[in-house]
Amino acid sequence: MTADVGAKHIGAPGSRGRTTIADVVVEKIAGMAARDVPGVYALGGGFARSMGSMRERMPGAGSGKSVTRGVSVEVGELQAAIDLEIVVDYGVSITDVAGAVRENVISAVERMAGREVVEVNIAVSDVKLPDEEDEGEGRQRIQ
């Protein structure tokens, strides 16, 4: 049996070529995964949340909260490192919430982006108290 002279491809079709994933893709995956964890009130520090809240009220600035607020990543060809800044609800175990966030983010990034997550660093920058108003709520009521 002779080999086809024109067939020079070796390996499965899925392994021919290179796939690159932008940092913002991993940031969005990590941000969504972190927000899905009960006990996480928001991502980002107070200043970042305030600026984001102002941007969301501006006409033409887009709708919804910025998914990447409070998330920064370093993405390589095989690995990713993620830093998150979160605000937790009052009364939750911060260590339990941080552990759940870490597990959820690692699972989502590894499954969706195919990158090994080498670390997820979490900074808890604030606690949402029960009697605090939500961002922008006070301004919306006074019209």
Side-chain angles (χ1 to χ4, degrees), residues 94-116:
I94 294 172
T95 54
D96 289 349
V97 170
V101 166
R102 199 170 274 114
E103 286 180 30
N104 212 35
V105 167
I106 289 170
S107 174
V109 170
E110 288 184 349
R111 180 177 51 82
M112 295 177 70
R115 300 298 185 264
E116 176 192 10

Side-chain angles (χ1 to χ4, degrees), residues 4-139:
D4 184 9
V5 177
K8 295 181 182 179
H9 301 291
I10 299 173
S15 66
R16 296 179 202 157
R18 195 173 93 155
T19 302
T20 58
I21 298 175
D23 288 3
V24 71
V25 173
V26 176
E27 286 175 351
K28 287 181 178 184
I29 293 168
M32 290 299 293
R35 282 179 175 78
D36 284 345
V37 174
V40 173
Y41 173 73
L43 267 66
F47 181 73
R49 289 194 332 264
S50 296
M51 292 305 293
S53 181
M54 285 179 19
R55 271 194 308 271
E56 289 164 11
R57 285 193 288 271
M58 294 174 63
S63 61
K65 294 181 179 180
S66 172
V67 177
T68 60
R69 186 181 314 138
V71 182
S72 63
V73 301
E74 290 182 33
V75 181
E77 286 188 34
L78 303 173
Q79 297 178 323
I82 301 164
D83 294 327
L84 300 169
E85 185 176 0
I86 67 172
V87 177
V88 297
D89 291 318
Y90 176 79
V92 300
S93 166
I94 294 172
T95 54
D96 289 349
V97 170
V101 166
R102 199 170 274 114
E103 286 180 30
N104 212 35
V105 167
I106 289 170
S107 174
V109 170
E110 288 184 349
R111 180 177 51 82
M112 295 177 70
R115 300 298 185 264
E116 176 192 10
V117 178
V118 293
E119 65 181 6
V120 176
N121 299 309
I122 299 172
V124 179
S125 62
D126 203 355
V127 174
K128 167 66 171 78
L129 301 176
D131 59 345
E132 288 180 334
E133 290 182 352
D134 287 338
E135 299 171 4
E137 186 177 291
R139 291 184 187 166

